[in-house]
């Protein structure tokens, strides 16, 4: 039998990823066809113009200061120093510049880390609902995925469930906090219990690494505070993207950072460097690294984001939707009034509202809304949410 153009692993990954591609392709078609009327809540994309400060930081970084300005750059030493200092100050956990690996945002950070740590036969635990790219990236590293859902209602970590899911093949666990899509900040007592479970399991089986996906760790509502899992478990790697806090996901810059408490950090440094190279030079562009000193000082307007959260939550609850108030991130996760959340998102689409079905996030019966939608989009969408709900009755 003749062989097709795709390798067997890529066929499996493409099958998992297919629904995501279909959804975003459809959303883009609707966006283009109804540009003047659509309200786009699909993803954390900017719907308003970027700040002058952000644009100026990028503009300045593109002006060469020497003949080598655009040469190959791995992790720029100044960028590493900025990240290590910022993390130490923000989290109260010491980091050293040499333990910071600059990446092409968080997705590259996660993919590289899986590739460095995992091999065929390994298992990676993920918290459900997960980011839809976790499983394809785990599969690409040759490992398999084990899911542990958050606790129903509270969206807390199910530490007992995680403990029960650990086997001698467990290599890593991914903890996304603040959690997309629920907006939950996992509290210190849960992180302490998780650390104790991982420590005991590492001593019993093999070292288990905690990948702390913290893309939203500065997008906090109601003056909430954030405590990182790396504070509680030494064998951790912190994965970050500036695309969320700067609301510029198309400008790809982030990092992998290991706290000084990580006992394997010296061995992992070279492994992460090699992983960056073989993943297709997964370092950020040189100019983004040059701009990092100024980008580090900028942030999305959280007062405005919180006002949008409060406006949508109050309105949807007033219409009769059931939803909780997120502590962080810029997402809402209302319960779908139809058991089939995909069908309900089609009703919303009839009202020129693009929402993400919970099924895509492995959380059926809900749908996700991004608060990065503009104020105008929100206001013109509210009557549509009310009409769509009425149609279900």
């Amino acid at each position: 039998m003749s062989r097709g153009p795709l390798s067997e692993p890529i066929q499996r990954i493409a099958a998992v990823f297919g629904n995501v591609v279909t959804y975003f392709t459809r959303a883009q078609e609707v966006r283009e066809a109804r540009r003047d009327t659509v309200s786009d809540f699909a993803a954390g994309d900017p719907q308003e113009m970027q700040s002058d400060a952000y644009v100026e930081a990028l503009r300045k970084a593109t002006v060469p200061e020497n003949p080598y300005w655009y040469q190959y750059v791995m992790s720029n030493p100044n960028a590493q120093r900025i990240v290590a200092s910022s993390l130490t100050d923000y989290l109260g956990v010491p980091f050293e510049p040499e333990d910071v690996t600059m990446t092409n945002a968080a997705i590259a950070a996660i993919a590289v880390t899986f590739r460095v740590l995992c091999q065929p036969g390994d298992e990676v635990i993920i918290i459900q609902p997960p980011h839809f790219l976790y499983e394809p990236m785990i599969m690409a590293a040759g490992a398999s995925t084990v899911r542990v859902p958050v606790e129903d209602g509270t969206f807390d970590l199910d530490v007992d469930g995680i403990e029960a899911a650990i086997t001698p093949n467990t290599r890593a666990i991914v903890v996304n906090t603040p959690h997309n899509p629920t907006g939950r900040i996992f509290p210190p007592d849960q992180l302490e219990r998780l650390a104790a479970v991982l420590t005991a399991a590492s001593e019993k089986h093999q070292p288990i690494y905690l990948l702390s996906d913290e893309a939203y760790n500065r997008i906090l509502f109601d003056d909430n505070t954030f405590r990182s899992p790396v504070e509680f478990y030494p064998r951790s790697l912190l994965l970050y993207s500036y695309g969320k806090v700067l609301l510029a996901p198309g400008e790809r810059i982030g990092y992998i950072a290991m706290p000084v408490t990580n006992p394997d950090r010296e061995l992992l440094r070279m492994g992460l460097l090699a992983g960056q190279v073989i993943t297709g030079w997964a370092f950020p562009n040189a100019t983004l690294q040059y701009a990092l000193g100024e980008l580090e000082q900028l942030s999305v307007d959280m007062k405005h984001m919180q006002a949008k959260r409060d406006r949508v939550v109050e309105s949807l609850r007033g219409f009769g939707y059931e939803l909780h108030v997120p502590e962080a991130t810029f997402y809402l996760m209302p319960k779908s009034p139809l058991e089939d959340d995909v069908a309900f998102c089609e009703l919303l689409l009839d009202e020129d509202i693009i929402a993400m079905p919970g099924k895509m996030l492995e959380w059926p019966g809900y749908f996700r809304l991004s608060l990065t939608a503009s104020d105008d989009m929100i206001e013109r969408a509210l009557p549509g949410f009310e009409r769509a709900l009425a149609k279900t009755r």
Side-chain angles (χ1 to χ4, degrees), residues 101 181 197 203 290 303 349 361 363 389 391:
T101 302
V197 165
E203 293 172 353
Y290 300 150
K303 288 184 178 180
L349 206 55
L361 302 162
W363 209 241
L389 181 60
K391 292 176 184 177

Side-chain angles (χ1 to χ4, degrees), residues 269-285:
R269 284 177 201 153
M270 184 54 66
L272 291 171
L273 177 63
Q276 289 277 79
V277 173
I278 65 172
T279 303
W281 201 264
F283 302 95
N285 287 339

Side-chain angles (χ1 to χ4, degrees), residues 65-389:
E65 296 181 5
N66 56 60
Y68 313 108
W69 201 246
Y70 299 123
Q71 70 180 9
Y72 280 108
V73 174
M74 292 184 177
S75 292
N76 177 270
N78 189 52
Q80 291 175 292
R81 286 191 291 270
I82 290 168
V83 169
S85 176
S86 173
L87 283 175
T88 300
D89 291 344
Y90 184 54
L91 300 178
V93 178
F95 289 82
E96 294 294 339
E98 60 264 31
D99 296 321
V100 174
T101 302
M102 302 305 299
T103 65
N104 183 12
I107 294 300
I110 296 166
V112 167
T113 305
F114 285 150
R115 194 163 194 172
V116 169
L117 295 177
C118 297
Q119 61 188 19
D122 285 341
E123 297 171 354
V124 178
I125 296 173
I126 62 175
I127 307 304
Q128 192 178 28
H131 192 284
F132 46 72
L133 287 179
Y134 284 168
E135 184 172 32
M137 290 189 291
I138 292 168
M139 293 170 69
S144 58
T145 304
V146 177
R147 292 167 170 79
V148 177
V150 295
E151 294 186 354
D152 191 36
T154 64
F155 301 133
D156 283 335
L157 277 178
D158 181 1
V159 180
D160 291 337
I162 292 170
E163 184 174 23
I166 293 174
T167 75
N169 296 322
T170 302
R171 182 60 167 169
I173 179 171
V174 184
V175 177
N176 172 213
T177 180
H179 185 244
N180 170 17
T182 67
R184 180 72 167 129
I185 303 171
F186 297 134
D189 63 316
Q190 294 173 26
L191 299 178
E192 287 176 345
R193 288 183 57 217
L194 175 64
V197 165
L198 296 179
T199 299
S202 294
E203 293 172 353
K204 182 179 180 181
H205 303 302
Q206 64 172 331
I208 298 174
Y209 294 90
L210 189 155
L211 280 56
S212 188
D213 180 359
E214 300 185 15
Y216 301 90
N217 70 13
R218 300 191 187 196
I219 304 178
L220 311 176
F221 295 124
D222 304 309
D223 297 320
N224 285 318
T225 57
F226 175 76
R227 301 279 292 277
S228 170
V230 304
E231 177 184 342
F232 302 93
Y233 186 65
R235 198 170 262 114
S236 295
L237 298 95
L238 192 158
L239 315 172
Y240 186 76
S241 169
Y242 285 94
K244 309 302 182 183
V245 73
L246 298 174
L247 203 51
E251 297 294 326
R252 310 293 294 167
I253 183 168
Y255 54 77
I256 306 164
M258 296 178 287
V260 298
T261 53
N262 190 319
D264 304 321
R265 63 193 180 108
E266 292 187 11
L267 291 173
L268 286 170
R269 284 177 201 153
M270 184 54 66
L272 291 171
L273 177 63
Q276 289 277 79
V277 173
I278 65 172
T279 303
W281 201 264
F283 302 95
N285 287 339
T287 52
L288 285 171
Q289 297 195 58
Y290 300 150
L292 194 60
E294 294 188 37
L295 298 182
E296 178 68 35
Q297 308 305 314
L298 304 178
S299 171
V300 63
D301 185 343
M302 283 309 301
K303 288 184 178 180
H304 185 203
M305 193 70 71
Q306 183 164 319
K308 291 196 285 187
R309 179 202 68 172
D310 294 344
R311 172 69 171 143
V312 177
V313 168
E314 180 183 15
S315 298
L316 293 189
R317 283 179 169 175
F319 300 150
Y321 286 89
E322 180 182 336
L323 71 160
H324 75 294
V325 180
E327 300 170 304
T329 77
F330 37 59
Y331 302 111
L332 298 177
M333 202 70 179
K335 194 166 186 179
S336 173
L338 295 179
E339 184 177 352
D340 185 347
D341 52 274
V342 176
F344 182 69
C345 285
E346 287 295 324
L347 291 181
L348 290 176
L349 206 55
D350 291 340
E351 301 291 341
D352 286 346
I353 298 169
I354 306 176
M356 182 175 288
K359 186 177 180 180
M360 272 191 59
L361 302 162
E362 300 184 19
W363 209 241
Y366 291 80
F367 61 98
R368 195 188 75 173
L369 302 174
S370 174
L371 295 169
T372 59
S374 68
D375 292 310
D376 288 344
M377 286 181 175
I378 290 172
E379 292 306 319
R380 69 176 178 243
L382 291 178
F385 281 113
E386 186 173 22
R387 288 190 296 268
L389 181 60

